[in-house]
Amino acid sequence: MLEFKSLGFEYKNTINKYYNKFGERSCQHSFATSFCLKNKYNDLFAHCDDTLYIVRDGISDSTYRTYLFPMCDRNNLKRVETAVNNILIDSHSYNKKVRFLTITEQCKLCIEELFQDLFVIESCRDLYEYIYNTEKIAKLSGSMHQSKRNIINKLYKTYKDIIVKQIDNTDFNAIKLFYKKWQDYYGRADGISLNNEIKEFDIAINNYYELELVGIAIYINNELAGFNFGSIISSDTYDGMIQKGNLQFEGIYELLNRETAKLFLSRAKYMNFEEDLGVIGLRNSKQMYHPEYLLKKFIAKEI
């Protein structure tokens, strides 16, 4: 039987070892994200036989016990088969069926190869993740990024006193105040409930260094105009977790994205800007940056 435990900092290195190796650049496979979203997902973990298991207890229901696909060598089908069978045993002990959330195409192929008649799999476009080439975002070169270069240049012409800096603890109070104001003015504009994000932000900013978060703060005329932060989730990928800007400063988001890419040029070949959740405006915005590829996501449910 799998023995699941709550996520704690004492397990961070163990969990990240599996996420970094088998996570396929997905933002779902990040200790920082799991920890910050514990109020939503209540992720529990177990690891044995070179396999990490994650159950998302917070979004399980009376029918399904929800898991991430086991973190192990997907090229070793025997190991994958054993891991999935362990999950089936665990779920059935609760008299529930298995639901695998946001599995990648590679995981989908494993299920089709090993458990074809046991699961039904559906694509979930709203959860596709946007993966970008860091160098391209840092340089914004070429005609397809001309409009973004123009808007950043206009921002610098309009406001002479612009400071871009890496976030440290001297910025925390300003970021907290900014985020509260952002909620009040812009928070409901895109139709997404902010309840979980608010909790995610609070946990992240209060455990910033412990979670090894890194980000950018931009001040214009001595006023915080925008910030973002995230974490390295694999040997070559940065995941942007939270980003907010004051829309009074036209071009603030373009500048945030460019400067963040510059910050990670030597550390991450790719940047994950996460999913669009089906929000049309957000989808259009992410597509305008011309992702290197979309990390396709699927949901598999036991029949």
Side-chain angles (χ1 to χ4, degrees):
M1 290 288 292
L2 298 174
E3 296 183 8
F4 285 95
K5 305 174 184 177
S6 297
L7 272 73
F9 284 118
E10 66 270 32
Y11 306 119
K12 181 178 70 172
N13 291 338
T14 297
I15 292 170
N16 274 337
K17 180 184 74 173
Y18 289 96
Y19 277 162
N20 294 346
K21 189 172 183 179
F22 304 116
E24 299 183 61
R25 305 192 180 104
S26 172
C27 64
Q28 298 291 326
H29 302 141
S30 157
F31 178 86
T33 298
S34 291
F35 189 85
C36 291
L37 286 173
K38 58 185 177 181
N39 289 289
K40 176 181 180 181
Y41 292 133
N42 188 27
D43 282 352
L44 307 174
F45 82 98
H47 70 100
C48 59
D49 300 326
D50 293 324
T51 303
L52 177 74
Y53 301 88
I54 297 287
V55 59
R56 303 216 125 157
D57 200 49
I59 55 172
S60 297
D61 56 34
S62 59
T63 303
Y64 294 102
R65 188 157 158 87
T66 301
Y67 303 81
L68 298 184
F69 201 77
M71 298 283 105
C72 62
D73 183 1
R74 278 72 181 266
N75 294 316
N76 185 337
L77 289 181
K78 185 65 176 176
R79 186 175 298 280
V80 173
E81 183 177 26
T82 298
V84 172
N85 278 325
N86 285 340
I87 286 174
L88 287 164
I89 292 169
D90 178 75
S91 187
H92 294 170
S93 72
Y94 290 86
N95 295 315
K96 295 181 181 182
K97 296 180 179 180
V98 170
R99 174 169 56 196
F100 286 121
L101 190 66
T102 69
I103 64 173
T104 63
E105 203 157 18
Q106 185 183 30
C107 300
K108 170 179 173 287
L109 292 174
C110 288
I111 292 176
E112 290 173 341
E113 175 76 17
L114 298 168
F115 299 94
Q116 184 175 9
D117 298 325
L118 192 58
F119 290 90
V120 59
I121 303 174
E122 59 185 42
S123 176
C124 194
R125 174 62 181 84
D126 294 351
L127 297 180
Y128 282 19
E129 297 174 25
Y130 291 75
I131 311 295
Y132 301 85
N133 181 289
T134 305
E135 184 176 3
K136 290 179 181 178
I137 302 298
K139 294 182 176 179
L140 291 178
S141 57
S143 58
M144 64 182 178
H145 291 308
Q146 180 68 52
S147 62
K148 290 179 173 50
R149 295 198 304 274
N150 289 344
I151 200 169
I152 291 174
N153 291 336
K154 181 180 178 181
L155 183 67
Y156 272 97
K157 288 179 180 178
T158 305
Y159 302 97
K160 303 304 180 184
D161 185 11
I162 299 179
I163 297 174
V164 178
K165 66 176 298 251
Q166 186 171 331
I167 291 172
D168 60 39
N169 58 1
T170 64
D171 303 298
F172 289 171
N173 285 337
I175 289 173
K176 290 177 182 179
L177 289 171
F178 182 94
Y179 186 74
K180 179 62 172 65
K181 290 180 180 178
W182 187 91
Q183 293 174 42
D184 294 340
Y185 289 105
Y186 305 121
R188 305 291 172 178
D190 57 10
I192 300 174
S193 171
L194 284 176
N195 289 338
N196 289 313
E197 188 190 283
I198 292 169
K199 294 174 183 175
E200 176 188 13
F201 171 82
D202 288 340
I203 293 171
I205 204 69
N206 291 325
N207 298 275
Y208 192 83
Y209 292 114
E210 293 85 351
L211 289 167
E212 300 181 54
L213 301 178
V214 182
I216 289 288
I218 297 178
Y219 292 85
I220 299 178
N221 296 339
N222 296 316
E223 174 188 350
L224 183 62
F227 73 91
N228 63 19
F229 58 74
S231 65
I232 293 290
I233 57 174
S234 71
S235 61
D236 66 0
T237 305
Y238 163 82
D239 170 43
M241 293 170 57
I242 294 180
Q243 176 169 263
K244 302 299 176 192
N246 184 344
L247 296 179
Q248 170 190 336
F249 302 106
E250 187 179 6
I252 187 62
Y253 282 103
E254 288 81 357
L255 184 58
L256 279 167
N257 287 330
R258 188 187 73 177
E259 295 304 315
T260 303
K262 286 182 179 180
L263 178 65
F264 284 97
L265 259 179
S266 63
R267 299 176 59 190
K269 182 178 180 180
Y270 298 102
M271 301 176 73
N272 185 325
F273 281 6
E274 302 195 346
E275 57 275 279
D276 60 42
L277 302 176
V279 179
I280 298 301
L282 192 57
R283 179 169 297 183
N284 291 339
S285 175
K286 290 178 184 290
Q287 288 176 335
M288 287 175 63
Y289 273 94
H290 304 282
E292 198 77 358
Y293 67 94
L294 294 179
L295 183 61
K296 297 179 180 179
K297 289 301 192 72
F298 304 84
I299 294 175
K301 297 179 180 178
E302 185 181 355
I303 298 172

